Amino acid sequence: GGVVSLQVTAIGSKTVVEVNNNAFHFPVGDKSMGFLSVAMTNFSSAVRIHPEEFGHVGPQLFTKMLRHHCPTLFANVMQAADAQVKHYSEEHPFIQVSKRAQTPDDAPWCVHLKVAPAGAFNPVHYREYAILVDTWGPESSVRRILEGAKPFAVHLQHHFSLRQKRRTEFLACSRGRYRKTAIFHLRSTYCPATLTSLGLPPHSKDEAKTACTSLEQ
């Protein structure tokens, strides 16, 4: 079936639960495509009427559609968030709803839709990007977060993360400690060709002037 991702954000004493559109998968011809169809119809209509609200419509789109068309599944998602189910495991698999549990308020394709726990794609919230330049060591908090969540990927919201990157990742690189960071560990492990193409990590002060600057782009 189709898969969308969960993101849980703590803002003060309030917990914000979103069914994020930063990572999703819908097999061609799958019955869960009904969700994507209504989402894109709603998105097109909203942007056509209020083009200035593009940024708000996109991030909130999947949450709104799930709440409206799949209320039973959305209730399960909220329960999972309350239970702080942040990572995928055999004990905490994808969140879904059985055919027996569906109600007349649920669209027929809701039973074919799954929601990945927050840790699957969002183990590090984009507002916490700075911890990725912490030292990657046996006892580091960022290592415990990532190894505990066992994520499929680490998603970073580009616009917000970029501002933090200029203050953090660039400084770690230019100060010669880039090899020690968590982000270097992730990039060198999973994206070595990209890392090399950027000339990272720099091997001399002269190389650092060019290579570290690429992190600001």
Side-chain angles (χ1 to χ4, degrees), residues 11-207:
I11 302 178
S13 59
K14 183 180 179 181
T15 299
V16 178
V17 179
E18 294 177 307
V19 180
N20 212 308
N21 55 1
N22 60 25
F24 57 90
H25 172 69
F26 289 86
V28 176
D30 191 82
K31 293 180 179 179
S32 62
M33 287 287 287
F35 175 82
L36 199 58
S37 177
V38 297
M40 293 310 299
T41 299
N42 180 277
F43 179 79
S44 299
S45 175
V47 172
R48 185 170 59 251
I49 298 171
H50 301 290
E52 72 282 358
E53 294 186 6
F54 175 87
H56 176 73
V57 171
Q60 300 298 324
L61 180 64
F62 280 14
T63 306
K64 182 169 61 176
M65 293 296 97
L66 195 75
R67 184 189 294 116
H68 180 74
H69 294 284
C70 305
T72 305
L73 177 55
F74 188 76
N76 289 351
V77 167
M78 295 301 293
Q79 286 183 339
D82 289 341
Q84 297 183 337
V85 179
K86 295 185 178 180
H87 63 276
Y88 172 82
S89 68
E90 292 181 0
E91 293 78 23
H92 303 301
F94 291 113
I95 306 160
Q96 54 190 128
V97 63
S98 68
K99 194 169 185 177
R100 181 179 296 179
Q102 286 213 134
T103 72
D105 293 329
D106 296 303
W109 39 259
C110 295
V111 71
H112 303 286
L113 189 64
K114 301 176 183 178
V115 181
F121 295 101
N122 301 286
V124 176
H125 193 271
Y126 67 84
R127 292 180 180 274
E128 300 170 344
Y129 178 88
I131 72 169
L132 289 177
V133 296
D134 287 352
T135 299
W136 181 264
E139 303 300 323
S140 66
S141 59
V142 64
R143 182 167 185 166
R144 288 198 299 271
I145 290 171
L146 294 177
E147 291 185 345
K150 298 180 176 64
F152 296 121
V154 179
H155 174 266
L156 299 172
Q157 194 265 7
H158 180 69
H159 180 67
F160 193 94
S161 299
L162 186 61
R163 296 202 301 269
Q164 291 201 41
K165 181 189 292 186
R166 287 171 175 161
R167 297 195 302 267
T168 55
E169 192 172 357
F170 170 74
L171 289 176
C173 180
S174 60
R175 292 173 180 174
R177 57 174 299 272
Y178 193 63
R179 285 180 179 272
K180 300 178 181 179
T181 64
I183 191 66
F184 172 74
H185 170 79
L186 292 174
R187 286 180 165 165
S188 61
T189 301
Y190 301 105
C191 309
T194 301
L195 196 67
T196 300
S197 70
L198 293 173
L200 294 170
H203 298 288
S204 66
K205 290 184 178 179
D206 289 336
E207 288 183 10

